[in-house]
Amino acid sequence: MLYSCKLKSVCHLPVIYNKKINTAGTSNTDVPLADPGMYQLDITLRRGQSLAARDRGGTSDPYVKFKIGGKEVFRSKIIHKSLNPVWEEKACLLVDHLKEPLYIKVFDYDFGLQDDFMGSAFLDLTQLELNRPTDVTVTLKDPHYPDHDLGIILLSVVLTPKEGEHRDVKMLMRKSWKRSSKFQTQSLRLSDVHRKPHLWRGIVSITLIEGRDLKAMDSNGLSDPYVKFRLGHQKYKSKIMPKTLNPQWREQFDFHLYEERGGIIDITAWDKDAGKRDDFIGRCQIDLSALSREQTHKLELQLEEGEGHLVLLVTLTASATVSISDLSVNSLEDPKEREEILKRYSPLRIFHNLKDVGFLQVKVIRAEGLMAADVTGKSDPFCVVELNNDRLLTHTVYKNLNPEWNKVFTFNIKDIHSVLEVTVYDEDRDRSADFLGKVAIPLLSIQNGEQKAYVLKNKQLTGPTKGVIYLEIDVIFNAVKASLRTLIPKEQKYIEEENRLSKQLLLRNFIRMKRCVMVLVNAAYYINSCFDWDSPARSLAAFVLFLFVVWNFELYMIPMLLLLLLTWNYFLIISGKDNRQRDTVVEDMLEDEEEEDDKDDKDSEKKGFINKIYAIQEVCISVQNILDEVASFGERIKNTFNWTIPFLSWLAIVALCAFTLILYLIPLRYIVLVWGINKFTKKLRSPYAIDNNELLDFLSRVPSDVQVVQYQELKPDPSHSPCKRKKNNLG
């Protein structure tokens, strides 16, 4: 909660509006300033123009602070080396009184030195029209030198009254770019009576096809372009296309549409620069209210403030079945509704809406023994339930360490390999919500209709934290649809935070990759030992096997060999001779990484020199990510043959059987001919098809060793048993 406090001399810092504000009618000037009701202030920090130069190179590294009542409520990310920075950041604030103006201050970031003041301004909240978006231009001034021109800041603001709702407020966590991990998150507060808008009304599917004649930003006359999309708090980033002005992306992104009238999708194009900040290429927008529903629109958008075009396909469709209800309203307990759901995902409806793979129902019942986050020794817990980019949340139970929510959430499953994440937060009225615990549950590991006590884990999902949460989950899906969906690209997660450099993470990824490489090295040593006749019996057997295989070799024997390996491992597992071992090495490294993260959070300003040099950090992060990708690739192959996810291993067996039969029955030249014709004519048949590799898409669903550790279910204390608790209550 933001408490009012007097500010000194605000009249000499002017505010200029580029949209005329109507002070009659619904303007908040009609509302008494002593009104104790709460207001929600939604601010979009757009950009700055002609800001003051504070560095020797004639530029600045500006960032913006918002203050209300002398208290900092928002801090933007830093835009390096720019006098015309583009932020496009959103802040959602609750204010008790409109007497206090919004104080806007701009600074130039200086590493190791005190940041330079670049100007300030005040925004009089009493002059804003209620419930109406307003574009605002504020002129920056220095109180000590009022004649100096310090540039302007462009904002969009919406002021909404929240009278009588301040007693039942909850928060939805949102990431925000800030200078240090200390300011990494801000909170968006939503009241219980506004629960309904939290359910999305439709899906906006965007396919980024290509760019044409983009602006050259590099010295070689080319660019390394990528595109960012933003709709409200939802953000996506495309892949980087190196050294081209006419990139071909072929990527798809899905947004949730919360407003009936549509919305505006902000699109920005950037040039990737290693070792320094990325260059801005241009921007454009899509007004969704101007597009018709259930129809695909091809758009060629001119980039503003730059050069070139972007070509996109945009489709607006009705929302899938998503709901929040009380425990008494249960879809699966109604025989008619359950029968309808089972019929929808029956084997007979394989080719009906391939994107609708299944149905998920999550009962969030209660939690016990939560961590006390407030000074009173209590917490105000609420629960966030996430499935990919679908996010719903419960109400807040105040001053309770054993909250009961008794809510039922339903989702449509688009990918059966998704992971359900349930996170418990403590609501804090005047700052970000505090993390209390989290569980991650792969959908394929769920046992239907069983109420279970899940031990809450830390943020990294590597170890337990205090408390358990009781959930009852049901999954109904079509296995054939789920298998076909496995062979197309995974849904991308919203952009939340960039990878940061971590010594422990870099070491962990190096060790993981080393272990994968050592498997190949040991295999090479073993084969070489056969050539050296270190063991005559083994070398003789290998020599006979070599002659037999080469003499009788056929191409179909390759998938057959992989099929035999999968089958061998399966019989080892069912016979009790499972050679899979718990990866304690990865667990230990994850725990070390968690300790390092905690240390960084507590001492964010005392960072090593390597984290202060952007160029070195960029290179190290790239190496860190490459090591992770290589190690994960090897681990996923291993986990496929280890039957870590039986559904995927059975799918691999079916595919290998099909490949074996095809190679056995059809001559190779015909197979290559069909493959070549398909490749050459694919773009002619479907010009905007998204390129994909079915094998890589399959492997992306197999968890790496790190994910296996994160998804492991911890054993709860025997005292936290639903049955035992019921007996105690009866007693």
Side-chain angles (χ1 to χ4, degrees), residues 215-230:
K215 188 176 180 180
M217 306 302 294
D218 297 337
S219 57
N220 58 6
L222 299 173
S223 292
D224 304 309
Y226 66 91
V227 176
K228 289 182 178 180
F229 298 88
R230 182 166 190 160

Side-chain angles (χ1 to χ4, degrees), residues 221-400:
L222 299 173
S223 292
D224 304 309
Y226 66 91
V227 176
K228 289 182 178 180
F229 298 88
R230 182 166 190 160
L231 176 62
H233 69 277
Q234 306 169 76
K235 297 185 289 183
Y236 282 114
K237 178 181 174 182
S238 76
K239 60 189 176 185
I240 299 166
M241 304 302 293
K243 295 181 175 56
T244 179
L245 300 180
N246 298 283
Q248 299 282 325
W249 280 289
R250 301 292 198 276
E251 290 185 87
Q252 181 177 326
F253 311 96
D254 290 337
F255 292 93
H256 292 148
L257 190 59
Y258 292 91
E259 301 178 16
E260 189 69 41
R261 63 181 180 272
I264 301 293
I265 296 181
D266 293 313
I267 305 172
T268 52
W270 300 82
D271 167 56
K272 180 66 177 177
D273 281 332
K276 57 180 181 177
R277 291 292 170 178
D278 298 345
D279 298 321
F280 177 74
I281 294 179
R283 70 170 60 251
C284 55
Q285 291 184 330
I286 302 175
D287 184 359
L288 298 178
S289 62
L291 303 179
S292 56
R293 303 291 180 101
E294 308 298 336
Q295 181 179 346
T296 299
H297 305 267
K298 181 183 177 183
L299 305 179
E300 296 186 16
L301 304 177
Q302 171 72 43
L303 290 176
E304 300 174 5
E305 303 175 34
E307 299 174 6
H309 297 77
L310 293 179
V311 180
L312 308 100
L313 300 180
V314 182
T315 307
L316 279 69
T317 56
S319 175
T321 306
V322 181
S323 68
I324 306 174
S325 61
D326 292 325
L327 205 58
S328 57
V329 183
N330 187 345
S331 299
L332 294 180
E333 288 183 2
D334 184 337
K336 290 185 178 179
E337 286 196 41
R338 186 179 183 89
E339 184 180 351
E340 183 65 29
I341 292 170
L342 290 171
K343 182 180 177 182
R344 192 194 314 167
Y345 301 108
S346 69
L348 300 177
R349 295 171 65 87
I350 295 173
F351 299 106
H352 178 75
N353 192 3
L354 288 175
K355 290 186 176 181
D356 187 12
V357 170
F359 173 85
L360 172 67
Q361 177 178 280
V362 183
K363 294 181 184 178
V364 181
I365 300 168
R366 67 183 185 276
E368 292 181 357
L370 296 180
M371 187 188 310
D374 298 337
V375 292
T376 59
K378 298 288 185 179
S379 292
D380 303 321
F382 67 96
C383 194
V384 178
V385 183
E386 296 177 83
L387 184 69
N388 293 330
N389 291 317
D390 297 348
R391 173 182 292 188
L392 301 174
L393 61 158
T394 68
H395 59 283
T396 301
V397 179
Y398 292 96
K399 294 181 171 35
N400 202 321

Side-chain angles (χ1 to χ4, degrees), residues 7 10 12-17 41 43-48 51 63-76 87 91 93 100-107 117-125 128 136-143 150-157:
L7 289 174
V10 301
H12 63 280
L13 294 176
V15 177
I16 300 174
Y17 298 92
L41 181 64
I43 309 173
T44 302
L45 173 61
R46 298 258 179 229
R47 58 187 182 273
L51 301 186
Y63 67 92
V64 179
K65 289 182 182 180
F66 293 160
K67 289 187 174 184
I68 295 181
K71 187 173 190 177
E72 182 178 326
V73 293
F74 172 81
R75 183 182 299 200
S76 76
W87 283 286
L93 312 173
E100 302 295 344
L102 177 71
Y103 189 22
I104 303 166
K105 299 181 75 175
V106 184
F107 292 90
F117 178 71
M118 296 178 63
S120 62
F122 286 94
L123 177 60
D124 186 355
L125 301 182
L128 295 177
V136 178
T137 301
V138 296
T139 302
L140 298 174
K141 293 293 183 181
D142 186 338
L150 301 180
I152 60 175
I153 296 291
L154 283 74
L155 309 168
S156 293
V157 295

Side-chain angles (χ1 to χ4, degrees), residues 678-690:
N678 175 64
K679 282 292 184 183
F680 277 104
T681 60
K682 187 175 182 179
K683 195 163 185 179
L684 298 176
R685 290 182 283 110
S686 183
Y688 304 123
I690 297 174

Side-chain angles (χ1 to χ4, degrees), residues 439-467:
V439 291
I441 309 166
L443 297 186
L444 287 170
S445 69
I446 290 171
Q447 298 173 346
N448 283 352
E450 179 182 352
Q451 185 183 139
K452 295 182 68 175
Y454 292 89
V455 177
L456 293 173
K457 295 184 177 183
N458 53 36
K459 288 182 181 179
Q460 290 75 28
L461 297 170
T462 56
T465 187
K466 194 174 180 183

Side-chain angles (χ1 to χ4, degrees), residues 365-368 450-455 468-471 715-730:
I365 300 168
R366 67 183 185 276
E368 292 181 357
E450 179 182 352
Q451 185 183 139
K452 295 182 68 175
Y454 292 89
V455 177
V468 296
I469 186 167
Y470 289 88
L471 306 172
K715 293 183 179 180
D717 190 305
S719 62
H720 292 294
S721 168
C723 297
K724 185 169 182 178
R725 191 175 186 270
K726 288 178 182 176
K727 289 180 181 178
N728 292 338
N729 291 338
L730 290 172

